[in-house]
Amino acid sequence: MTTGTVPDPLPDWLTSAERVTVLTGAGISTDSGIPDYRGPNGVWTRDPDAEKLVTLSYYVADPDIRRRAWLMRRDLQVGEVRPNAGHRALVELERQGRLRGLLTQNIDGLHQAAGSSPALVLELHGTVHEVECLSCRDRTTMADALARVDAGEADPACRRCGGILKSATISFGQVLDAEVIEAAAVAATDCDVFLAVGTSLTVHPAAGLTDLAAGAGARVVVVNAEPTPYDALADLVVREPIGTALPRLVAR
Ligand SMILES: [Zn+2]
């Protein structure tokens, strides 16, 4: 195991890898100005009450929590959020024909915004760009729901059935999408290199996916500012900033 900077030259097993499965977490989006909610300076760490806005039981039970959640979603749309060099490096990996799958814990849609094929991106925790009815599962756009909030609806209801609408993200207390998790497991099992970027690899399903990849014989690369529980089994651990490390790691 090598820890530290991107090796120069890169190891042959990395440059010759034909099927790379990538797992990304909050760390790849912080350069785009999106806060890491659970980090030391995260929103939830500074304001524990904010966690109620993304906890299913509170959300369903309390109209005031829903009203505040819609305001939070509206605030999150303000300001230009653009993909960064880390996202673009993964588009380059796809252009090389080597991207087996792009699994992300992020809900910001920045991989698709950067140009990654939607068919290759698996959003483990859902997306903030859509809303879903908790009763009939009808999906509409976040933009449409926020337009209703702006027009005066504090808590817009499902137009089809009147049910409660929520961003199409996985809240605390909500189960992950089984089809997405299954597809992610297949991509983790079916790769030469498993590249984990900007994730602490401590929560489900990120940790389990790394186990699957390693168990299936993939080389494991970890790019993260902080140590992870998987550093010891990784073939390469990089602590450099993602925006400069990733473009070099995917170079051929
Ligand atoms: Zn509905």
Side-chain angles (χ1 to χ4, degrees):
M1 196 249 311
T2 313
T3 300
T5 56
V6 177
D8 183 19
L10 295 172
D12 288 342
W13 56 260
L14 183 53
T15 52
S16 65
E18 294 296 337
R19 294 170 307 157
V20 181
T21 291
V22 183
L23 169 67
T24 65
I28 198 170
S29 289
T30 47
D31 281 352
S32 293
I34 293 178
D36 178 356
Y37 284 91
R38 299 181 213 229
N41 298 310
V43 174
W44 297 340
T45 312
R46 288 182 281 116
D47 177 11
D49 198 43
E51 195 163 324
K52 287 186 181 175
L53 304 183
V54 291
T55 300
L56 190 65
S57 54
Y58 289 109
Y59 190 85
V60 170
D62 187 347
D64 190 56
I65 291 287
R66 295 200 292 278
R67 183 186 61 80
R68 288 170 57 195
W70 285 112
L71 294 179
M72 175 186 72
R73 290 171 194 141
R74 190 178 63 177
D75 290 347
L76 289 174
Q77 308 284 314
V78 173
E80 198 78 354
V81 177
R82 294 173 191 274
N84 61 58
H87 299 103
R88 288 192 292 274
L90 299 178
V91 177
E92 167 62 18
L93 187 65
E94 179 180 346
R95 195 194 60 76
Q96 295 168 356
R98 301 202 286 155
L99 182 64
R100 170 62 181 82
L102 179 43
L103 326 178
T104 185
Q105 298 173 276
N106 300 334
I107 56 176
D108 52 40
L110 285 179
H111 288 303
Q112 297 94 322
S116 290
S117 298
L120 288 175
V121 180
L122 292 171
E123 295 173 307
L124 305 173
H125 295 166
T127 175
V128 79
H129 295 290
E130 295 182 1
V131 300
E132 185 175 88
C133 173
L134 294 177
S135 297
C136 75
R137 301 289 156 195
D138 187 42
R139 282 220 178 191
T140 47
T141 67
M142 178 61 76
D144 179 57
L146 290 178
R148 293 171 65 188
V149 174
D150 283 338
E153 291 185 63
D155 177 25
C158 175
R159 283 199 161 115
R160 180 176 287 183
C161 79
I164 294 172
L165 294 183
K166 189 179 79 64
S167 65
T169 53
I170 306 296
S171 296
F172 292 114
Q174 205 172 8
V175 294
L176 300 165
D177 184 315
E179 277 182 34
V180 172
I181 300 307
E182 174 59 24
V186 170
T189 308
D190 177 37
C191 63
D192 308 317
V193 169
F194 186 81
L195 174 58
V197 182
T199 167
S200 61
L201 297 177
T202 51
V203 296
H204 178 73
L209 292 168
T210 310
D211 283 324
L212 279 177
R219 301 273 193 167
V220 173
V221 180
V222 173
V223 185
N224 199 51
E226 307 292 330
T228 82
Y230 288 86
D231 292 1
L233 75 71
D235 297 273
L236 175 62
V237 176
V238 173
R239 297 253 184 268
E240 287 182 76
I242 293 165
T244 53
L246 261 197
R248 282 147 62 210
L249 282 170
V250 306
R252 295 199 105 166

